[in-house]
Amino acid sequence: DLARRNLDSMSNRDIAAFWSGLPRLLHKRGAQDPNLEEKLRCVIGTTCTRMHSFQCRDLAQTSLGIAKTISQVSRGNRQYRANDPLHFIRRLFVKESQCSPLFDSIASSALGMLNEFDARHLSNLIYSFGLVERNPDIGGETLFDVSGKTAVRILQTFKPQELSNMLWAFVKVDAKNSRLFQETGGVISGMDLDSFKPQEQSNILWSFSKSGEANPELFRVLGNHIVARRLNDFQPQHLSNIAWAFATAGVSHPILFKKIRDHIA
């Protein structure tokens, strides 16, 4: 309600912060607002109108917030009450297909300033499109084509989560980029692997295998690292994804497989 009442006075940073906070707010659903749908449409309209003037941070933050919201309301086949905010949002973004033109606008706005994005905001932008599984065509190339070229130039500045999210998104939209995967594999192999969380290691291996860009050296380095640590921090899904990735990529690591089997047993 605050966003709706103060739209005219909100800065681009404020609008981005609204979208960034919306997924968390939806988890705390309180009293129902009968005018919620109208207010959301106004915020969406203002966002689209002003998007061309957003800076990189604001655009990436807005894109990620909207994508997380859509992902949240699209999960499973859950039915919501007619006055539930999630019901309105699902109808707005999913059933009315507001998602497509909105993300097309985000892609168009990002195109002219991709070279200004730092690793964090570029990764968040790419990840958001992966969440909604969209890869818009912009000027004869796709968003993932041009963002991949930008990512390659600044790969050395990416943190583990940013690399993991980016690779996962490329797989989710089925965007092929052998150079990006090859160079990312080299960068990861030379990083401090202790800085990678179990989910990030699992996602990276899964992404390389799923994309058909399996990197034997990267698999060897990550496999050896996983063998050298305790597996208590790994959830069953992480271990399942790791085993699947090695098997699918055709990369043998008997010691790793034995350690996973012994841990599960």
Side-chain angles (χ1 to χ4, degrees):
D1 192 38
L2 181 63
R4 170 67 182 88
R5 282 183 282 128
N6 297 308
L7 268 178
D8 291 339
S9 62
M10 288 175 70
S11 66
N12 292 344
R13 186 62 49 85
D14 294 332
I15 292 175
F18 165 79
W19 287 114
S20 179
L22 184 59
R24 293 189 294 273
L25 290 174
L26 292 177
H27 281 297
K28 305 175 182 178
R29 306 195 298 278
Q32 310 302 324
D33 184 344
N35 300 314
L36 177 64
E37 185 173 357
E38 176 196 352
K39 293 172 181 176
L40 277 173
R41 288 184 185 278
C42 288
V43 177
I44 292 171
T46 299
T47 301
C48 289
T49 300
R50 293 169 55 177
M51 193 178 293
H52 69 281
S53 64
F54 281 18
Q55 296 180 355
C56 302
R57 170 182 168 177
D58 303 329
L59 192 62
Q61 190 174 6
T62 297
S63 187
L64 184 58
I66 295 173
K68 285 183 174 180
T69 300
I70 293 172
S71 177
Q72 186 174 327
V73 300
S74 303
R75 202 172 296 142
N77 296 314
R78 182 174 175 181
Q79 299 298 312
Y80 300 108
R81 297 189 307 274
N83 65 341
D84 191 316
L86 295 182
H87 170 77
F88 296 137
I89 293 172
R90 175 187 279 178
R91 187 173 71 200
L92 209 57
F93 284 120
V94 181
K95 295 189 176 179
E96 292 188 15
S97 301
Q98 290 287 332
C99 170
S100 297
L102 189 54
F103 278 88
D104 286 346
S105 295
I106 293 172
S108 296
S109 298
L111 180 61
M113 56 178 177
L114 275 177
N115 289 333
E116 300 173 25
F117 277 77
D118 63 14
R120 176 188 175 189
H121 299 137
L122 182 61
S123 176
N124 283 345
L125 180 74
I126 293 171
Y127 180 59
S128 67
F129 278 79
L131 283 173
V132 295
E133 298 186 29
R134 285 199 55 75
N135 186 12
D137 183 88
I138 40 180
E141 292 187 286
T142 68
L143 175 68
F144 278 73
D145 288 335
V146 293
S147 61
K149 294 174 185 176
T150 302
V152 165
R153 289 196 291 270
I154 59 172
L155 270 179
Q156 298 291 344
T157 65
F158 276 71
K159 295 179 180 178
Q161 184 180 15
E162 295 160 0
L163 291 168
S164 171
N165 286 349
M166 176 181 66
L167 295 175
W168 177 89
F170 267 80
V171 174
K172 290 298 288 184
V173 303
D174 195 26
K176 306 300 182 185
N177 194 321
S178 294
R179 183 186 175 193
L180 175 66
F181 274 82
Q182 180 181 356
E183 297 202 17
T184 302
V187 168
I188 293 172
S189 295
M191 293 175 70
D192 174 12
L193 297 182
D194 285 331
S195 64
F196 287 77
K197 296 177 181 177
Q199 183 175 359
E200 293 160 1
Q201 296 177 49
S202 169
N203 284 351
I204 287 168
L205 289 167
W206 178 88
S207 297
F208 270 88
S209 186
K210 187 73 172 177
S211 68
E213 299 287 350
N215 182 320
E217 175 61 17
L218 174 65
F219 274 60
R220 183 190 66 79
V221 169
L222 279 175
N224 291 344
H225 176 75
I226 295 169
V227 164
R229 61 177 295 173
R230 297 175 63 209
L231 298 185
N232 292 343
D233 294 337
F234 287 80
Q235 296 178 11
Q237 187 62 53
H238 299 155
L239 296 175
S240 175
N241 286 348
I242 290 169
W244 178 90
F246 272 84
T248 302
V251 178
S252 178
H253 202 306
I255 299 175
L256 173 63
F257 291 162
K258 182 179 185 303
K259 181 157 187 170
I260 292 175
R261 284 197 304 271
D262 291 346
H263 177 78
I264 294 174

